[in-house]
Amino acid sequence: MGTRNMKLCYIKGAVMNLSVIQQAVLFGIFLVFSFSCLAGGKVKKSQKAQTVIHAELVVKNCTAEIMLNDIPIERLDGKEWPRISEPVATNLKDGINRLELVINPGTSPSTSRTDKRLLNKKGISVHARLVSYPVDVYPSDVKGDVLIDLKWEGGAEDKEQEFPVILQGEADLGKQYGEWIWANAEKITLDEKTITEINGIIRTIHSAYSAGNSEPINLLMKDYLFTDISKAYGVQKPEDLAREFDEYLKDLKAESPKTGWRVLPLKPEEFDFRVVGNGKLVQCLDKNWKDVIQSIDNDGDDFPFWMMLAKINGKWVI
């Protein structure tokens, strides 16, 4: 469960050139897989809501991560990409919502909060926000309604600071979308049995993704992630999203002789899972903060398969 990454042309930087609703649709249709650039005019939103809420992050001279209601949204390295703005409807909840900013998190996902380090804080600047935008506008063209605002400055002096520095802010957003499917998931403990089960699910997804076979993956997504996406954005039904994914993956595989697209081998020894979502989701990353399922093409572009797993009624799902 959860939301995420597009190819380089979209995810970091170019995101500000798309309208809010275009971003919502992109995240709605291609949330857990990457794709070559999507182009075209504005897409009309079918749901009644008149606003879309984004989480935004701007970083300078550091690495920082934002989380909404204990769900990872984005981790940025200021040396690579300085800013991001992402629609986060499927991470919102009714009532109080909490935005968390982790500045210079630990060296691996599982130690993001506990890996204490003394680092020079000179010139560090971080700004995280939760912002409401009207639909069918470009985020860069409008101010938006700031709901939560978190800032941290390191100052101009050469001085050490213990990191990570963690800031939190809350806002009562009233009625949003009700309860998400993943909210009914089991609490997760990363014991040996659970890790073995998760590794098995990852192997299944990796094998299907490599073969261009969407069916095993759609079985994990259609009634769960895609259902929540459809509820949040109202763009397409879950079965339509599953069909879009099937077409996308078939096209990706069919074009692979020309593009050189291929899925990289798994490296289980590098896996570094972490439990998020208040104990109900597992984010599948490696020790270097990369998604455990990676693919590339001949141009060197990477296509991370970003996912979080939940266990509902004894079944692991995306």
Side-chain angles (χ1 to χ4, degrees):
M1 310 295 288
T3 58
R4 197 5 166 285
N5 284 352
M6 276 23 81
K7 200 182 173 185
L8 190 64
C9 62
Y10 172 66
I11 178 170
K12 297 184 180 105
V15 64
M16 298 305 294
N17 294 323
L18 298 177
S19 73
V20 170
I21 191 56
Q22 284 176 314
Q23 293 182 41
V25 171
L26 288 174
F27 273 78
I29 296 175
F30 296 114
L31 288 172
V32 292
F33 44 92
S34 301
F35 61 99
S36 56
C37 285
L38 194 68
K42 291 181 181 179
V43 182
K44 296 299 180 183
K45 193 173 184 178
S46 61
Q47 72 173 67
K48 294 180 180 179
Q50 298 301 306
T51 60
V52 177
I53 294 178
H54 276 218
E56 300 184 338
L57 178 62
V58 180
V59 302
K60 181 179 179 182
N61 296 323
C62 70
T63 299
E65 182 177 31
I66 48 173
M67 305 183 77
L68 180 59
N69 298 320
D70 198 41
I71 299 172
I73 304 299
E74 186 59 80
R75 176 182 175 272
L76 291 185
D77 184 339
K79 295 178 181 178
E80 299 175 359
W81 298 101
R83 63 179 65 231
I84 195 71
S85 178
E86 297 185 6
V88 290
T90 54
N91 297 336
L92 297 171
K93 63 180 183 178
D94 295 345
I96 301 295
N97 285 257
R98 184 179 74 254
L99 185 68
E100 184 174 44
L101 170 61
V102 183
I103 304 166
N104 281 330
T107 55
S108 68
S110 62
T111 63
S112 61
R113 288 177 173 82
T114 58
D115 183 11
K116 305 295 184 181
R117 295 170 295 160
L118 287 175
L119 301 173
N120 193 328
K121 67 176 184 175
K122 181 181 179 180
I124 290 178
S125 175
V126 190
H127 191 188
R129 308 191 306 171
L130 197 66
V131 186
S132 178
Y133 290 106
V135 299
D136 282 335
V137 301
Y138 295 89
S140 57
D141 292 343
V142 295
K143 187 175 181 180
D145 181 15
V146 179
L147 307 171
I148 302 175
D149 199 9
L150 303 173
K151 295 180 180 180
W152 195 86
E153 301 282 345
E157 295 183 23
D158 276 308
K159 192 173 182 180
E160 286 191 332
Q161 165 81 39
E162 184 178 81
F163 291 96
V165 171
I166 301 175
L167 305 179
Q168 294 181 346
E170 294 184 343
D172 188 342
L173 304 184
K175 181 68 175 177
Q176 291 298 314
Y177 301 90
E179 191 171 67
W180 302 111
I181 293 174
W182 66 264
N184 295 309
E186 301 172 16
K187 286 277 189 176
I188 298 168
T189 301
L190 288 178
D191 54 25
E192 185 176 349
K193 178 177 181 295
T194 299
I195 291 175
T196 298
E197 292 176 356
I198 293 172
N199 284 336
I201 293 294
I202 291 173
R203 286 195 298 272
T204 296
I205 296 171
H206 180 270
S207 176
Y209 198 53
S210 301
N213 178 15
S214 69
E215 184 176 357
I217 306 174
N218 271 331
L219 287 173
L220 302 175
M221 294 195 296
K222 185 173 76 68
D223 294 332
Y224 303 96
L225 175 60
F226 284 167
T227 297
D228 279 347
I229 290 170
S230 181
K231 175 182 176 181
Y233 296 111
V235 178
Q236 289 178 294
K237 296 178 181 179
E239 54 268 28
D240 296 327
L241 294 171
R243 185 179 64 254
E244 292 278 358
F245 178 51
D246 177 67
E247 293 172 356
Y248 160 78
L249 194 51
K250 285 180 178 177
D251 288 346
L252 197 62
K253 186 66 175 179
E255 292 294 317
S256 63
K258 292 187 293 184
T259 64
W261 175 80
R262 67 270 190 196
V263 181
L264 300 178
L266 292 174
K267 297 181 179 179
E269 69 279 4
E270 294 293 321
F271 291 175
D272 191 55
F273 308 138
R274 65 171 172 175
V275 177
V276 294
N278 298 310
K280 295 187 176 183
L281 299 170
V282 176
Q283 188 180 20
C284 300
L285 299 173
D286 68 16
K287 295 176 182 178
N288 296 310
W289 291 89
K290 293 183 178 180
D291 302 286
V292 296
I293 297 179
Q294 296 275 334
S295 60
I296 60 173
D297 63 16
N298 285 340
D299 292 330
D301 292 328
D302 60 330
F303 300 73
F305 192 98
W306 191 94
M307 63 179 171
M308 287 189 289
L309 299 177
K311 195 171 189 179
I312 301 176
N313 298 324
K315 175 185 176 182
W316 286 101
V317 300
I318 298 175

